[in-house]
Structures are given as structure tokens and as C-alpha cells.
Amino acid sequence: WHRGSGEGGAGSWEIEDGWLQAANIKNDPLWLDRKLPENVRVEFDAKARSGEGDLKAEIFGDGETHESGYIVITGGWSNKLDVIARLDEHGKDRKEKPTIGVKPNEVYRWALERTDGELRWYVDGQLNMRYEDDQPLTGEGHRHFAFNDWTAPVKFDNVRVYRIAEQQ
């Protein structure tokens, strides 16, 4: 894991009681150094430490820069929206809906799964959103996963990455 670049937040990524935690990161993602397969499932636990919500991860990015892949956010914008965005979390092509809601200190089990051009996002085993992309972000420059944060205090744990077998 290594810290990437965003807007240069003053916060830091730290381990406490086995959880990765952060606050005031300002979109300096913590990138997994290993490359992802094209068809993959990434699972992890996410927990907000306040009522602000704003749990955020990035997938199929370049391993360095915020907004270089898909950005997935629940409880964003003061716990109002759930979003899947492609290359720009404020972009016009983002998918958004009213949030499922993020409660402080509640553990949410996320799964981000992509096969071919469809990214599916599950929360606690339920499909929350999907993003169908006719030009999916693939190949070099789109092979990494990261945790992210703006200013809200957040925690992550229990990351697992699975290759999904290609359909024949």
C-alpha cells in the first residue's frame, strides 16, 4: 500500500485496533500495490466514525492519482448521495441516487465486482448500484484499488481480492 496524490490533505492513513483509519485525507488515496485482474471482486469492511458518512473507494485507477478510475461513494455530500463515477466524482456521467444512509460506527460489508463492462457495488450482500460502461477502464493505467476519504473520519478492514473466471 502507498499514499497517492489528490489535494494534499493533512490527515494520515493509520492502523488502529486492526482497522485502517483516516480523516482529512482530501482525496490522497491509499493504493494497493498489486495489480487487479480485469474481472475481479474486491470485498472489504467500511465504517464511518461520524454522521457525515462519506465512505469512499476507487477501483481500476492508475495506482497513484485520485479520479483515475471508478470512484464509489456511499453517504457522500453530508450523507445524502450514493455515487459511482467514472474518472470524475462530480462528472455528468456519474450514477447517483439518494444514499442508503451511513450510521456512525456501523460496519458495512462492501463488494465491488466487475465482469466485462459492468461494475456492480454490493453493500451487506445487497446490490446497491451498477455502472455499465461501453468503454470500460481496462489495461495499464487502470489496474489498481484504493481506499479514499475527503475529511470525514472513516475506517476500513478485511480486504479480499478475488479473480472472477472469464465466461466461455
Side-chain angles (χ1 to χ4, degrees):
W1 297 91
H2 72 276
R3 185 171 178 157
S5 59
E7 288 144 73
S12 61
W13 292 100
E14 300 174 352
I15 303 290
E16 183 177 295
D17 297 325
W19 286 79
L20 173 66
Q21 66 176 13
N24 199 29
I25 294 297
K26 296 221 173 160
N27 291 325
D28 290 351
L30 189 67
W31 291 99
L32 178 63
D33 289 328
R34 299 190 75 173
K35 292 180 179 179
L36 298 176
E38 297 294 336
N39 292 320
V40 70
R41 180 178 174 97
V42 178
E43 298 177 352
F44 58 91
D45 293 335
K47 183 189 321 187
R49 297 184 294 150
S50 77
E52 290 178 70
D54 207 22
L55 297 172
K56 183 186 299 194
E58 302 195 28
I59 193 163
F60 297 110
D62 65 5
E64 183 58 36
T65 313
H66 170 55
E67 296 185 322
S68 59
Y70 300 98
I71 306 97
V72 182
I73 306 165
T74 191
W77 294 269
S78 299
N79 216 355
K80 292 185 178 103
L81 295 175
D82 288 356
V83 168
I84 299 177
R86 183 186 192 276
L87 303 174
D88 180 356
E89 67 186 60
H90 302 279
K92 293 180 184 191
D93 63 344
R94 79 179 187 187
K95 307 294 183 198
E96 68 175 57
K97 68 178 190 122
T99 189
I100 58 172
V102 176
K103 296 176 187 164
N105 299 310
E106 186 166 323
V107 177
Y108 299 92
R109 184 71 180 162
W110 281 33
L112 301 173
E113 185 175 278
R114 180 173 76 183
T115 52
D116 304 317
E118 183 178 65
L119 178 64
R120 291 172 301 283
W121 170 25
Y122 299 87
V123 177
D124 296 334
Q126 301 295 312
L127 181 63
N128 188 38
M129 293 180 75
R130 67 180 65 216
Y131 192 103
E132 293 182 34
D133 193 346
D134 59 357
Q135 295 182 312
L137 302 174
T138 61
E140 289 306 312
H142 300 292
R143 299 292 303 273
H144 293 275
F145 169 79
F147 293 116
N148 207 342
D149 175 56
W150 179 242
T151 59
V154 295
K155 288 185 170 187
F156 302 98
D157 198 6
N158 298 316
V159 155
R160 289 185 173 71
V161 178
Y162 303 93
R163 176 184 307 275
I164 298 173
E166 296 197 24
Q167 307 262 335
Q168 300 259 342

